Short mmCIF file of all heavy atoms in Angstrom, two decimals:
data_model
loop_
_atom_site.label_atom_id
_atom_site.label_comp_id
_atom_site.label_asym_id
_atom_site.label_seq_id
_atom_site.Cartn_x
_atom_site.Cartn_y
_atom_site.Cartn_z
N MET V 1 10.19 4.06 -9.48
CA MET V 1 10.52 5.16 -8.47
C MET V 1 9.59 5.15 -7.37
O MET V 1 10.04 5.26 -6.21
CB MET V 1 10.56 6.43 -9.20
CG MET V 1 10.82 7.69 -8.32
SD MET V 1 12.53 7.52 -7.56
CE MET V 1 13.47 7.94 -9.00
N PRO V 28 13.18 -5.53 16.04
CA PRO V 28 12.53 -4.49 15.45
C PRO V 28 11.68 -3.62 16.35
O PRO V 28 11.01 -4.25 17.31
CB PRO V 28 11.64 -5.13 14.29
CG PRO V 28 11.51 -6.51 14.78
CD PRO V 28 12.76 -6.83 15.68
N THR V 34 9.55 13.79 17.79
CA THR V 34 9.94 14.94 16.96
C THR V 34 11.44 15.02 16.83
O THR V 34 12.22 14.57 17.81
CB THR V 34 9.44 16.26 17.52
OG1 THR V 34 9.90 16.37 18.97
CG2 THR V 34 7.88 16.27 17.66
N ALA V 61 19.36 4.84 3.15
CA ALA V 61 17.98 4.94 3.93
C ALA V 61 17.01 5.74 3.05
O ALA V 61 17.36 6.77 2.35
CB ALA V 61 18.19 5.63 5.26
N TYR V 79 -5.83 -0.93 -1.38
CA TYR V 79 -5.04 -1.67 -0.41
C TYR V 79 -4.76 -0.74 0.68
O TYR V 79 -4.12 0.42 0.34
CB TYR V 79 -3.75 -2.26 -1.10
CG TYR V 79 -3.09 -3.17 -0.17
CD1 TYR V 79 -3.63 -4.53 0.18
CD2 TYR V 79 -1.78 -2.91 0.34
CE1 TYR V 79 -2.90 -5.36 1.03
CE2 TYR V 79 -1.12 -3.84 1.21
CZ TYR V 79 -1.68 -5.00 1.38
OH TYR V 79 -1.08 -5.92 2.35
N GLY V 81 -3.67 0.09 4.99
CA GLY V 81 -3.17 -0.33 6.35
C GLY V 81 -3.90 0.49 7.35
O GLY V 81 -3.96 1.73 7.41
N LEU V 98 -4.14 4.30 6.33
CA LEU V 98 -3.14 4.58 5.20
C LEU V 98 -3.64 3.96 3.94
O LEU V 98 -3.78 2.79 3.96
CB LEU V 98 -1.77 4.17 5.51
CG LEU V 98 -0.79 4.31 4.44
CD1 LEU V 98 -0.35 5.64 4.11
CD2 LEU V 98 0.53 3.49 4.83
N GLY V 106 -0.78 -5.75 -1.70
CA GLY V 106 -0.37 -7.02 -1.11
C GLY V 106 0.84 -7.05 -0.38
O GLY V 106 1.17 -8.09 0.36
N ALA V 130 -16.56 -0.48 0.43
CA ALA V 130 -16.15 0.90 0.89
C ALA V 130 -17.11 1.49 2.00
O ALA V 130 -18.13 0.82 2.18
CB ALA V 130 -16.18 1.81 -0.33
N ARG V 137 -19.89 4.42 8.77
CA ARG V 137 -18.50 4.62 8.68
C ARG V 137 -17.68 3.25 8.94
O ARG V 137 -16.90 3.20 9.81
CB ARG V 137 -18.00 5.72 9.48
CG ARG V 137 -18.63 7.00 9.31
CD ARG V 137 -18.22 8.11 10.36
NE ARG V 137 -16.87 8.39 10.24
CZ ARG V 137 -16.27 9.34 9.41
NH1 ARG V 137 -17.10 10.05 8.75
NH2 ARG V 137 -14.90 9.59 9.43
N VAL V 141 -12.55 -5.31 5.16
CA VAL V 141 -11.25 -5.69 4.38
C VAL V 141 -11.04 -7.12 4.45
O VAL V 141 -11.54 -7.88 5.29
CB VAL V 141 -10.06 -4.92 4.96
CG1 VAL V 141 -10.21 -3.38 4.88
CG2 VAL V 141 -9.92 -5.28 6.51
N GLU V 180 15.89 -0.97 13.94
CA GLU V 180 16.33 -2.19 14.55
C GLU V 180 17.27 -1.97 15.73
O GLU V 180 18.19 -1.10 15.63
CB GLU V 180 17.21 -3.02 13.46
CG GLU V 180 16.24 -3.64 12.51
CD GLU V 180 17.09 -4.60 11.53
OE1 GLU V 180 18.22 -4.65 11.57
OE2 GLU V 180 16.43 -5.36 10.83
N LYS V 181 17.00 -2.57 16.85
CA LYS V 181 17.71 -2.41 18.15
C LYS V 181 18.73 -3.44 18.20
O LYS V 181 18.32 -4.66 18.42
CB LYS V 181 16.82 -2.31 19.23
CG LYS V 181 17.46 -2.04 20.63
CD LYS V 181 16.50 -1.88 21.76
CE LYS V 181 17.14 -1.57 23.00
NZ LYS V 181 16.15 -1.43 24.20
#
Side-chain angles (χ1 to χ4, degrees):
M1 177 62 69
T34 57
Y79 192 66
L98 170 69
R137 301 174 63 90
V141 296
E180 287 189 347
K181 183 178 181 180

